[in-house]
Structure formats: C-alpha cells, structure tokens
Amino acid sequence: MTDVTTTAMTVLPIPDETSAPFWEAAREGRFLIQRCPETGLYQWYPRAHSIHAPHATPEWVEASGRGELLSYSVVHRGNTRGDPYTCALVRLEEGVTVFSRVEGVAEADLRSGLPLAVAFHRLDDTISLPIFQPAISRPPSIAGGSDA
C-alpha cells in the first residue's frame, strides 16, 4: 500500500472507541474491516456489534485493499476552492462497499468496474486517510459481504 501526501483538509476525522483500531492501522498503511466471528461475513463501517449476529462483537481483519469502482461523482467547486475531486463507492474484494475518494484517474477514464487499490493520505501525525487509485495488478474477484 502506498503512502500519499495530500493537501489540507478543513475537518479531520475524529476516531472514537469503535473506530480507533481502523485509524491506528491506516496510520501504518493497512486497511482494516470487520468480520463477524460467528458467520465469517464482513461489514463496513465500524460498529461495536456484528450486523450478521447482533449479540457478537466483530473482529478486525486486514482487507486486501483491492476492489472495483461501483459509482462516482466528480465534485467541481467554485473557482477559488481547488481542483475537482472524485467521490466514489468502491466494492472491496471482501464484498463490502466503502465511500472514499478516487485519485490518479482522469475524469474521462472513470467507469464502473474500474479495478482500484487503496493508498493513504497522511493528513497529520495521527490520521492517514484511505483513498483509492487505479490497481496495477489483476482485477478483483468480488466476494459476498454486507454493508447494511
């Protein structure tokens, strides 16, 4: 996974007790998701309970970091607010869908199914933000999961 330098953000994510393991791993260049210990199914976003077995506490596992572009929107802001950027839904190989930014792809080359891989923007000493870039290797094989 790649460490990428970024421009300033106006609002940083605020880790809480539930999301702290995710942010700690992101700082190390690892992308974590949660897995239900009873069903083995993945989930995203971080929760204190499994969405597949609500009485179970999910475990953190390292995701492949590979996925495909499902949908996107290119955001064009006013002429003093910087370059356009791409917000996207990315389906990971593990089957969960994450909302992130896509970088390193010309707007004309964006398409559903585009293979992507995670990279990280170091925002400060405590927060690294996962973003997605074009994948260099093989296309992902999408597995079952849930983002409910």
Side-chain angles (χ1 to χ4, degrees):
M1 293 186 203
T2 309
D3 186 57
V4 179
T5 306
T6 189
T7 57
M9 283 184 67
T10 55
V11 179
L12 292 175
I14 301 172
D16 60 17
E17 183 178 336
T18 302
S19 66
F22 171 80
W23 294 112
E24 290 167 16
R27 223 178 10 257
E28 299 167 357
R30 298 181 302 120
F31 192 84
L32 298 185
I33 58 175
Q34 293 178 313
R35 180 174 56 201
C36 177
E38 292 190 17
T39 65
L41 295 173
Y42 297 100
Q43 66 184 34
W44 179 258
Y45 57 90
R47 297 170 177 91
H49 67 281
S50 169
I51 61 173
H52 307 290
H55 58 280
T57 301
E59 56 194 8
W60 288 100
V61 296
E62 189 165 354
S64 66
R66 293 182 304 272
E68 67 181 17
L69 182 62
L70 290 180
S71 185
Y72 65 92
S73 179
V74 179
V75 179
H76 295 266
R77 299 182 288 180
N79 60 5
T80 61
R81 304 258 335 202
D83 295 331
Y85 62 93
T86 303
C87 293
L89 292 174
V90 178
R91 173 77 61 165
L92 298 181
E93 283 185 348
E94 292 80 6
V96 296
T97 302
V98 300
F99 182 73
S100 187
R101 285 175 69 155
V102 172
E103 298 183 357
V105 183
E107 186 173 346
D109 295 330
L110 290 165
R111 61 176 168 73
S112 182
L114 180 70
L116 299 170
V118 74
F120 293 88
H121 280 312
R122 182 166 300 280
L123 301 179
D124 66 16
D125 290 338
T126 63
I127 298 290
S128 289
L129 192 66
I131 58 100
F132 286 82
Q133 299 176 327
I136 310 248
S137 61
R138 64 178 173 77
S141 61
I142 304 302
S146 179
D147 356 312

